[in-house]
């Protein structure tokens, strides 16, 4: 399973991942607000985290009933699910699995696919040298 979040010393970086623009903004905000949770001992050891593991770390400390925390955790889990689908070779969920039509509810379905366009998320990266 892909673990795009990299933590080394006081630096947090993120490799390639696919998400909507809104989810990508939430990821950056989450790394700035909750990234310290990923800096676990022993200090200096390079560690990799998945978005699901990051969501677990946030939920272990913060109340998910708080709206900002809930939105952050939900976005991280949605990105994790999309990543898992991509690792299985599914790049067009609507076309390869659902067949289109009534995909989920709201502006994006459960899998982060826009039911109007049936397109995958947009690739976002944060350079590894950025300190968050």
């Amino acid at each position: 399973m892909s673990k795009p979040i990299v933590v080394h010393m006081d630096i947090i970086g993120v490799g390639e991942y696919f998400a909507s623009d809104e989810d990508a903004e939430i990821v950056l905000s989450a790394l700035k607000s909750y990234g310290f949770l990923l800096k676990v001992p022993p200090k200096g050891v390079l560690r990799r985290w998945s978005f699901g593991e990051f969501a677990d770390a946030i939920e272990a400390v913060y109340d998910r009933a708080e709206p900002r925390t809930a939105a952050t955790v939900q976005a991280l889990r949605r990105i994790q699910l999309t990543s898992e689908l991509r690792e299985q070779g599914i790049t067009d969920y609507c076309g390869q699995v659902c067949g289109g039509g009534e995909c989920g509810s709201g502006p994006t379905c459960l899998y982060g696919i826009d039911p109007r366009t049936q397109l995958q998320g947009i690739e976002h990266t944060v350079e590894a040298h950025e300190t968050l």
Side-chain angles (χ1 to χ4, degrees):
M1 175 174 304
S2 176
K3 295 187 176 195
I5 302 170
V6 180
V7 179
H8 187 253
M9 303 295 281
D10 289 326
I11 299 172
I12 299 176
V14 181
E16 293 182 355
Y17 66 99
F18 290 85
S20 68
D21 288 336
E22 295 81 16
D23 283 350
E25 288 178 25
I26 291 172
V27 167
L28 289 177
S29 175
L31 289 170
K32 289 177 182 175
S33 300
Y34 306 107
F36 70 93
L37 296 171
L38 304 178
K39 297 176 183 178
V40 296
K43 188 170 183 167
V45 174
L46 184 121
R47 296 206 39 173
R48 294 184 145 301
W49 297 80
S50 69
F51 289 109
E53 291 169 332
F54 188 19
D56 291 343
I58 293 169
E59 283 185 315
V61 177
Y62 289 90
D63 182 8
R64 187 154 181 222
E66 195 277 315
R68 181 173 180 242
T69 302
T72 300
V73 167
Q74 182 181 26
L76 293 172
R77 296 218 184 276
R78 186 171 44 248
I79 294 166
Q80 180 66 38
L81 182 55
T82 301
S83 297
E84 290 172 2
L85 291 172
R86 292 189 66 76
E87 285 177 5
Q88 295 171 26
I90 299 171
T91 57
D92 176 0
Y93 192 86
C94 293
Q96 290 175 287
V97 179
C98 289
E102 297 298 321
C103 298
S105 61
T108 57
C109 75
L110 170 67
Y111 302 103
I113 306 299
D114 185 331
R116 294 165 294 165
T117 63
Q118 295 186 3
L119 295 175
Q120 61 199 21
I122 300 168
E123 183 176 332
H124 293 274
T125 61
V126 174
E127 295 299 321
H129 60 78
E130 289 188 37
T131 301
L132 301 173

